Each structure stands twice: as C-alpha cells, then as structure tokens.
Amino acid sequence: MTPDQLKITVELLLEKSNRNMEQALRNAEMDYWDLVANRLYYSVFHAVTAMMLADGIKSNTHKGTSSQFGRHYVLTGKFSREDGILYSRLQTMREKADYQNIFTIEPMQGEQLIQQARQLCERIHSTTITNLH
C-alpha cells in the first residue's frame, strides 16, 4: 500500500468510526440499547483498526485487534488500562447484544458507556491523525 493509499484508508476508517458513533447516539434516543452496544463497539473497533494500520500493526480478527491494542497501546502506556478494559467490555457487550435473545442495560449505564466510548474514540482519532502526518 502506498503512503497515499494508507492515508486514505485510515481516514475512511476514522469516518466509519464517526458514523458508528452517530448511529449509537441515534439508537440511544430510541432506547435500542442492543444497537447502541453494537455501534459503540464498532466505533471503537474501527478507530483502533485505523490507528493500528497507521502504525503498521496488522490483525485479521476482532479478538486479535483487541489483543494488539492491549499489547501495543495499553501495556506501553499510550492508552490506559481503563481504556483496554472499556474496549474489552464493549466487545463483550456487542457479542451479547448481537447473539443473545435478550439484552438490556439501564439507560443511565448506556449513557455513561456512550460518553466513555466517545472520549476513547476522540483520543484514538487524535493519536492516529497526529501519527499519520
């Protein structure tokens, strides 16, 4: 991949992350918490994927991406342990929301997760854009 292709791909992933966050917010307004869990996870997942791609780190699976995030970003102190826990929690919630017949969270808890995921995505986006240029 050329540097220009890399930059475009990373930017497209960051845009996708933003769209997923917007979808989470809209679904929260309708109390569709299973969809909120899905969209929050994918917002963070696409942001992490963009950051890893910009840094030359590859992964082929969701679990691999989570593992690489922990190894290259949390253990090195670039992101906090709490960030790693949040990412893992969102992944687990997404799996439950997608595959179990019943998934519920309290709206207050959902709003808190939205805020935490937004803050994490903002930091990832900022880091990625800085590293890309």
Side-chain angles (χ1 to χ4, degrees):
M1 184 178 303
T2 69
D4 286 340
Q5 290 171 326
L6 175 67
K7 184 178 179 192
I8 290 168
T9 302
V10 168
E11 288 171 350
L12 289 172
L13 283 165
L14 293 175
E15 287 176 20
K16 192 169 192 173
S17 171
N18 286 334
R19 281 194 313 276
N20 291 158
M21 184 58 69
E22 181 63 30
Q23 292 164 1
L25 296 172
R26 290 178 187 254
N27 281 297
E29 292 170 2
M30 297 181 285
D31 289 328
Y32 294 154
W33 296 105
D34 57 336
L35 296 176
V36 171
N38 178 287
R39 298 291 79 194
L40 287 178
Y41 168 72
Y42 277 106
S43 181
V44 174
F45 171 77
H46 291 302
V48 169
T49 301
M51 181 171 63
M52 287 174 44
L53 185 60
D55 290 342
I57 302 166
K58 297 185 181 189
S59 178
N60 295 322
T61 65
H62 286 266
K63 293 216 182 285
T65 301
S66 179
S67 175
Q68 295 286 39
F69 179 70
R71 178 177 300 126
H72 293 283
Y73 299 99
V74 175
L75 290 178
T76 61
K78 294 176 184 174
F79 286 84
S80 71
R81 181 176 179 271
E82 290 76 21
D83 292 332
I85 291 169
L86 175 62
Y87 184 31
S88 294
R89 183 175 179 206
L90 290 172
Q91 185 174 13
T92 300
M93 288 179 64
R94 193 275 305 176
E95 290 168 355
K96 287 180 181 179
D98 286 356
Y99 299 113
Q100 292 182 357
N101 290 334
I102 297 173
F103 175 83
T104 59
I105 58 174
E106 294 297 319
M108 187 178 294
Q109 179 189 17
E111 293 296 333
Q112 185 178 23
L113 284 170
I114 290 170
Q115 187 62 27
Q116 292 170 341
R118 283 178 97 169
Q119 291 171 352
L120 178 56
C121 281
E122 288 170 4
R123 290 194 313 277
I124 293 170
H125 286 226
S126 177
T127 298
T128 304
I129 291 168
T130 300
N131 291 348
L132 196 58
H133 296 290

